[in-house]
Amino acid sequence: ESGLDISKADSSKYNKLPDHDKTSSWATESLIWAVDNGIINGIEQSGRRILAPQNTTSRAELAAIMMNCRKDSLRSGGILTRF
């Protein structure tokens, strides 16, 4: 079996985001993993950090996610080290 085991991610950071409950059920496990690993950090809105799971992702946000993936991969020796 290949790929990441996202089922062991810590959900505490994700649960602290006030709008985490707006995440679609099919995306919840992946978002918990992404938040736990610093891949997705949410956005600043009205002085607080929110997840905004129903928003459309901008190019700048996607670029930040990609850079965060690369940083995480470099830290862990993962598959994105050639990215």
Side-chain angles (χ1 to χ4, degrees):
E1 184 176 312
S2 63
L4 298 170
D5 181 3
I6 63 175
S7 67
K8 293 182 171 88
D10 181 359
S11 63
S12 60
K13 293 178 196 173
Y14 171 82
N15 289 329
K16 287 180 184 174
L17 295 163
D19 60 341
H20 73 275
D21 58 334
K22 294 182 177 139
T23 303
S24 297
S25 60
W26 59 266
T28 301
E29 188 176 42
S30 296
L31 274 178
I32 289 171
W33 177 87
V35 170
D36 184 39
N37 285 281
I39 305 299
I40 294 178
N41 299 306
I43 60 172
E44 193 75 27
Q45 187 177 69
S46 302
R48 64 184 186 155
R49 183 133 316 258
I50 64 169
L51 187 58
Q54 298 299 319
N55 284 13
T56 301
T57 303
S58 71
R59 278 187 250 172
E61 291 166 336
L62 181 56
I65 290 168
M66 292 174 70
M67 289 304 296
N68 291 341
C69 283
R70 186 166 176 1
K71 288 176 193 172
D72 181 66
S73 183
L74 288 172
R75 269 194 312 271
S76 65
I79 60 171
L80 293 178
T81 55
R82 293 173 292 176
F83 175 67

